[in-house]
Amino acid sequence: MTTKNYKVVTPAEAVKVIKSGDHVHLSSVASSPQCLINAMCARGDAGELKDVHIHHLHTEGPAPYTEAKYEGVFQHDAFFVGANVRKSVQAGFADYIPIFLSETQRLYRDGYIKCNVAMIQVCPPDEHGYVSLGTSVDATLAAVETADHVIAVINKNVPRAFGQAMIPMSLIDIFVEDDTPLEPAHFSEPSEVEKLIGLHCAELIEDGACLQMGIGAIPNAVLAQLGNHKDLGIHTEMFADGVLPLVESGVINGANKGIDKGKMVSTFLMGSQKVYDFIHNNPQVLMMDVGYTNDPFLIAKNPKTTAINSALQVDITGQVCADSLGTKFYSGVGGQIDFVYGASRSKGGKAIIAMPSVTNKGVSKIAPVLAPGAGVVTTRNHMHWFVTEYGAVNLYGKTLQERAKLLITVAHPDHREALEQAAFERFGSHFRFVTK
């Protein structure tokens, strides 16, 4: 197929291939194809569809298919719960599939989930008949490869990213054109607590380290502390605006990476338009399949891999909850354990879990035991470094009692005595620790 002979249809025409009972994949984050989503929902409003399963990772922008009125029409079974669908999941009108981010692509490739229709966004085709998935490769590439029908929105605002993001137009069945700007992600400025956490994390990062960081203010606070570092690399599931100044100053150059030397590797992006502009036609950035970026054994090939991820709650033995507390679902398993496992096996690597010591309401996030129903994402067997605003402690190789003592030292001072008492009750009278 050349760039001259593809036929464009309207979004309404394109989504006619969706049938009741189908499984539909949406490209993620900034690349959610809103014009196709709206057209699909219009068919739902008209009573033309029922029992359509919607799958995706984190998405930005509206997610109308999760609304209560579509119960029985659309079933949201996402691989990650973003802010735009969280209330619907908590209310039971939507759901999610707990799975390691690295394995989301296997759901399609190994046939656990049938992909009937993949709805994606791509950049305009080049002279060789290739388009780019831009900011969303993740599990989207697997969906494209296995779908019965692929609908692509050709959008001039999708960056022409390299790596496995580049696909031939022959993989696409239906073309739509729409130039709606990509959805930007908005991050709040780090608080004073988050800045302290960022400082403690930065002190653990060595020159030549290869970085993975999750989503939010803490990663940006960490990156802001790295201006005097040298030869840092990026192998991550996502990155945002915080890396750009470090690339421009030469701090991030990938010179010490074990694989993809000199390249920044990611599978999806969340950020401002500056990030999308940065990856456009940039050979320094490889947008890769999530089975590549989040493979723990590939991650471990980069020396000094340093993975920094957040949590909702940690108990005094080092069990990490990062997806749900009781009936409240906040995100999903994501890529945390992929990188914790990979970083811990990297030569000189560090796996770090970082979070504020208390919630916004002053409740300790370090708890005697996890809340009932809390999901354990990183087990205490995988736990290495833990960071709050009060410092960093390494739990690796420590006994349960030693872990409790270390975790209490980085808890909020107002809660240390209660945690010490809980540890005493759990471990018996031989547990002795004087709170400072």
Side-chain angles (χ1 to χ4, degrees):
M1 181 180 293
T2 69
T3 61
K4 302 295 184 181
N5 64 2
Y6 65 90
K7 179 184 177 182
V8 174
V9 301
T10 65
E13 184 70 23
V15 300
K16 287 182 179 179
V17 298
I18 301 174
K19 305 183 301 297
S20 293
D22 275 355
H23 289 255
V24 177
H25 178 86
L26 306 179
S27 53
S28 65
V29 196
S31 287
S32 301
Q34 292 296 330
C35 66
L36 298 179
I37 291 171
N38 293 334
M40 178 182 68
C41 288
R43 288 196 63 198
D45 291 332
E48 298 176 7
L49 295 171
K50 63 179 181 179
D51 299 326
V52 175
H53 295 257
I54 310 298
H55 307 290
H56 55 73
L57 293 168
H58 175 86
T59 59
E60 293 287 311
Y65 45 84
T66 64
E67 294 176 8
K69 69 176 183 177
Y70 290 120
E71 187 173 13
V73 178
F74 301 118
Q75 174 60 42
H76 168 274
D77 295 324
F79 309 143
F80 193 86
V81 180
N84 58 346
V85 299
R86 192 165 295 144
K87 288 183 179 179
S88 296
V89 172
Q90 292 178 351
F93 295 114
D95 207 343
Y96 95 103
I97 299 172
I99 189 167
F100 298 130
L101 191 59
S102 61
E103 296 183 1
T104 54
Q105 45 82 30
R106 288 190 59 203
L107 294 176
Y108 295 131
R109 289 188 172 122
D110 292 354
Y112 291 98
I113 293 177
K114 173 67 175 175
C115 186
N116 300 105
V117 181
M119 303 203 305
I120 65 176
Q121 288 205 87
V122 299
C123 74
D126 62 21
E127 63 271 25
H128 303 293
Y130 276 74
V131 294
S132 177
L133 295 169
T135 62
S136 176
V137 180
D138 43 73
T140 298
L141 179 59
V144 168
E145 292 172 349
T146 59
D148 297 329
H149 304 281
V150 179
I151 309 172
V153 177
I154 296 178
N155 186 336
K156 68 180 182 181
N157 295 299
V158 173
R160 186 171 178 265
F162 296 125
Q164 291 174 299
M166 297 295 292
I167 63 171
M169 295 175 70
S170 58
L171 291 180
I172 299 168
D173 303 299
I174 303 170
F175 296 89
V176 173
E177 289 183 343
D178 181 70
D179 288 336
T180 301
L182 299 188
E183 290 283 345
H186 303 286
F187 302 111
S188 59
E189 286 295 316
S191 66
E192 291 305 311
V193 166
E194 289 162 338
K195 288 178 181 178
L196 282 172
I197 294 171
L199 177 62
H200 295 314
C201 289
E203 290 173 345
L204 297 175
I205 297 172
E206 301 177 38
D207 288 344
C210 185
L211 304 180
Q212 175 265 339
M213 297 185 184
I215 298 169
I218 290 177
N220 286 337
V222 176
L223 291 166
Q225 302 285 341
L226 301 179
N228 293 322
H229 279 62
K230 298 178 181 178
D231 298 330
L232 299 181
I234 297 289
H235 184 114
T236 185
E237 62 210 11
M238 61 82 60
F239 65 82
D241 293 62
V243 306
L244 301 187
L246 297 175
V247 175
E248 293 168 0
S249 65
V251 170
I252 292 176
N253 57 27
N256 195 46
K257 292 183 69 177
I259 57 173
D260 304 312
K261 191 178 292 289
K263 306 289 186 180
M264 298 172 61
V265 174
S266 186
T267 194
F268 65 87
L269 293 180
M270 287 180 64
S272 71
Q273 187 62 42
K274 290 181 180 179
V275 175
Y276 310 148
D277 292 342
F278 171 73
I279 72 166
H280 180 66
N281 279 330
N282 187 348
Q284 185 181 2
V285 179
L286 299 179
M287 296 297 295
M288 304 295 282
D289 182 87
V290 72
Y292 183 90
T293 60
N294 284 56
D295 183 328
F297 298 99
L298 291 178
I299 293 166
K301 289 185 177 182
N302 289 305
K304 299 182 181 180
T305 293
T306 304
I308 302 174
N309 288 278
S310 61
L312 296 171
Q313 191 179 56
V314 173
D315 76 7
I316 57 174
T317 71
Q319 296 276 79
V320 179
C321 168
D323 66 342
S324 62
L325 285 173
T327 59
K328 298 294 185 182
F329 293 90
Y330 292 93
S331 55
V333 176
Q336 181 175 122
I337 195 62
D338 296 331
F339 280 93
V340 165
Y341 195 73
S344 65
R345 279 152 181 75
S346 163
K347 185 176 181 180
K350 295 185 177 79
I352 302 169
I353 301 295
M355 71 177 192
S357 64
V358 294
T359 68
N360 292 335
K361 296 181 179 180
V363 177
S364 178
K365 297 179 74 171
I366 301 173
V369 295
L370 295 181
V376 176
V377 171
T378 296
T379 72
R380 55 179 166 242
N381 312 306
H382 295 96
M383 185 65 146
H384 285 223
W385 285 94
F386 178 70
V387 177
T388 73
E389 68 271 30
Y390 293 102
V393 292
N394 191 356
L395 306 184
Y396 188 65
K398 301 297 191 293
T399 68
L400 295 180
Q401 293 187 41
E402 289 170 336
R403 288 162 175 253
K405 292 175 183 179
L406 287 169
L407 286 165
I408 291 170
T409 67
V410 294
H412 192 285
D414 291 348
H415 296 282
R416 291 178 189 174
E417 184 175 349
L419 289 170
E420 182 184 345
Q421 180 61 34
F424 181 85
E425 293 173 358
R426 179 166 186 171
F427 299 118
S429 60
H430 50 275
F431 183 87
R432 289 286 185 268
F433 180 66
V434 179
T435 303
K436 295 180 180 180

